[in-house]
Amino acid sequence: EAEVAQSPRYKITEKSQAVAFWCDPISGHATLYWYRQILGQGPELLVQFQDESVVDDSQLPKDRFSAERLKGVDSTLKIQPAELGDSAMYLCASSGRLGQGRFEQFFGPGTRLTVL
Amino acid sequence: TQLLEQSPQFLSIQEGENLTVYCNSSSVFSSLQWYRQEPGEGPVLLVTVVTGGEVKKLKRLTFQFGDARKDSSLHITAAQPGDTGLYLCAEKSGTYKYIFGTGTRLKVLA
């Protein structure tokens, strides 16, 4: 069964260090999402890609966060420098091309980040 | 900005009991999704409801969309330990973006 892959599953870092997370969406899915989920809360959308283009990054803290999907397939989310408040689960999701078919997001297992 | 509230925030019940969790908005939903998230995993879509008054069933789970499309409920019959998890509702915001609620954390005790 096709799945969204994420790595690493867990990351512990010290504040002011740089961290990067990787996501490989389900093959053929044009749309990719990065979410942040703080413990006890629902996921919050950080950035949405359609192919290699950013569709929505209105909630991405651009002073320290960056995301890219250069070839329209896998994606990297980077935080530099990490702050204590960045500790959270970072979830990647993918879906089919916007406007085609029923909308359904498939989530990966997430990367749990702890900033010390 | 629409505010999506879920209640209760936490729920701990015995195996075999029934339960209902709720999702409410300050505005009308265009459509609503329910997800279940197990510890250490990503959310998994359970159902999408679109029409006011719609009722969908998924085995022991019954989803209802309010007539005015401002609220939704999830009812679980005869809960089992495998139902334990975080139940999230998400409303459509814009064309292909969903905003998630804060979730209801359910624990079913054997």
Side-chain angles (χ1 to χ4, degrees):
Chain A
E1 182 177 306
E3 295 180 341
V4 176
Q6 289 189 249
S7 68
R9 291 294 305 273
Y10 305 92
K11 179 70 177 178
I12 299 174
T13 190
E14 293 184 343
K15 63 180 181 179
S16 79
Q17 296 297 305
V19 292
F21 314 130
W22 177 79
C23 172
D24 192 13
I26 291 173
S27 178
H29 275 189
T31 311
L32 184 146
Y33 311 80
W34 283 102
Y35 289 87
R36 176 172 59 188
Q37 185 176 25
I38 296 171
L39 190 63
Q41 298 183 17
E44 172 195 19
L45 180 68
L46 293 174
V47 62
Q48 178 183 351
F49 290 92
Q50 168 93 318
D51 300 313
E52 67 277 6
S53 300
V54 172
V55 175
D56 186 343
D57 64 356
S58 58
Q59 300 302 311
L60 187 71
K62 298 181 186 65
D63 56 335
R64 299 185 300 108
F65 286 64
S66 63
E68 60 183 19
R69 193 185 184 199
L70 294 177
K71 297 183 179 179
V73 181
D74 59 337
S75 176
T76 301
L77 178 69
K78 296 179 181 177
I79 308 175
Q80 182 173 18
E83 296 180 352
L84 295 177
D86 296 331
S87 294
M89 174 78 91
Y90 289 83
L91 294 162
C92 179
S94 70
S95 68
R97 185 169 302 278
L98 301 181
Q100 294 182 1
R102 186 170 68 99
F103 177 75
E104 181 175 352
Q105 295 177 87
F106 295 86
F107 283 84
T111 296
R112 181 164 294 285
L113 173 67
T114 301
V115 182
L116 302 176
Chain B
T1 302
Q2 288 179 292
L3 185 63
L4 201 56
E5 296 183 350
Q6 290 191 244
S7 61
Q9 190 175 0
F10 301 99
L11 188 57
S12 181
I13 63 171
Q14 292 294 130
E15 181 177 5
E17 292 184 355
N18 301 331
L19 67 114
T20 303
V21 299
Y22 301 92
C23 177
N24 295 281
S25 175
S26 55
S27 304
V28 174
F29 296 124
S30 56
S31 68
L32 188 82
Q33 294 185 328
W34 282 96
Y35 292 78
R36 179 170 64 215
Q37 184 177 20
E38 297 186 15
E41 300 295 331
V44 175
L45 179 66
L46 297 174
V47 76
T48 302
V49 287
V50 178
T51 306
E54 184 175 3
V55 177
K56 285 191 173 180
K57 292 191 175 184
L58 185 65
K59 297 183 180 177
R60 295 177 294 101
L61 278 60
T62 301
F63 304 86
Q64 187 156 5
F65 202 14
D67 291 339
R69 297 185 9 241
K70 294 182 70 174
D71 59 273
S72 181
S73 64
L74 159 58
H75 181 80
I76 302 179
T77 304
Q80 299 176 1
D83 295 327
T84 293
L86 179 67
Y87 287 82
L88 295 158
C89 64
E91 61 171 335
K92 193 175 181 182
S93 174
T95 305
Y96 291 99
K97 177 178 169 179
Y98 275 80
I99 304 298
F100 285 84
T102 53
T104 292
R105 192 166 296 279
L106 172 66
K107 186 168 186 178
V108 182
L109 304 171

